[in-house]
Amino acid sequence: MAKGFFITFEGGEGAGKSTQIELLAAKLRAKKYAILVTREPGGSPGAEAVRHVLLSGAAEPFGPKMEALLFAAARSDHVEQVIRPAIERGAIVLCDRFIDSSRVYQGVTGGLDPAFMEVVEQVSINGMVPDMTLILDIDPAEGLKRAAVRRSPNDAPDRFEKETVSIHQQRREAFLAIAASEPQRCVVIDASRSPSEVEDAITTAVFGGLEARMTAGIK
């Protein structure tokens, strides 16, 4: 592809984003696409340095605005050092979380002003909007159970996993509201199904999007 394709994976804790990203990456590589798999917070050296601060909860005492700014700083570095160069060389970028997580976690449940969040987002992404966002939707109680199972016995829940089910439910509703408001970008995937069923739904959505891009390019 002359221009790459930017796909982000969003959703609550335990929805299976990481697993499904790896399954999709393998399928795309088999079709000879150039693939970059990355994540947030993190994905670049500068952003990875911020990741521990955020997920450990070290920034939590300073409030959601400080967390939002740290996420934005990490995202800006990630975009400019990793994502944009990959897109410009024609790769398909698969990213575990991106702007919608900030909109939901810091904006909605963090109670931050939407105007503030919009300005921070614009600065941090500098025009790098996803071509497609897959929102893996699951009941928060089930998602948290799954997250606990996958966690190492010696690891504590991270900054966000430890929050109440009611907060996670608010986030679920916020993700679904984003999907409803941006249907041209967002695809909701029922993540309560078996991994193979989720994989099939994602494969259909992604390869359909790639075909549409190629068709539009030919026209």
Side-chain angles (χ1 to χ4, degrees), residues 50-71 106 159-160 162:
V50 180
R51 179 181 176 87
H52 175 72
V53 174
L54 288 164
L55 296 188
S56 69
E60 185 178 2
F62 299 100
K65 183 170 284 189
M66 174 65 80
E67 286 188 323
L69 292 173
L70 286 171
F71 271 108
Q106 284 76 54
R159 156 76 177 87
F160 301 105
K162 70 181 183 180

Side-chain angles (χ1 to χ4, degrees), residues 131-167:
D131 295 292
M132 176 181 288
T133 296
L134 300 168
I135 296 177
L136 275 61
D137 178 53
I138 191 169
D139 177 81
E142 176 61 27
L144 290 170
K145 286 181 184 177
R146 292 185 181 184
V149 168
R150 78 178 180 211
R151 203 164 46 237
S152 169
N154 296 323
D155 290 341
D158 70 24
R159 156 76 177 87
F160 301 105
E161 290 174 345
K162 70 181 183 180
E163 292 178 314
T164 65
V165 173
S166 63
I167 290 177

Side-chain angles (χ1 to χ4, degrees), residues 4 8 14 16 38 41 44 65 67 74 95 105 117 120 130 149 165 174 205 207 214:
T8 56
T38 189
S44 65
K65 183 170 284 189
E67 286 188 323
C95 187
Y105 283 70
M117 291 299 297
V120 170
V149 168
V165 173
F207 280 88
M214 296 295 284

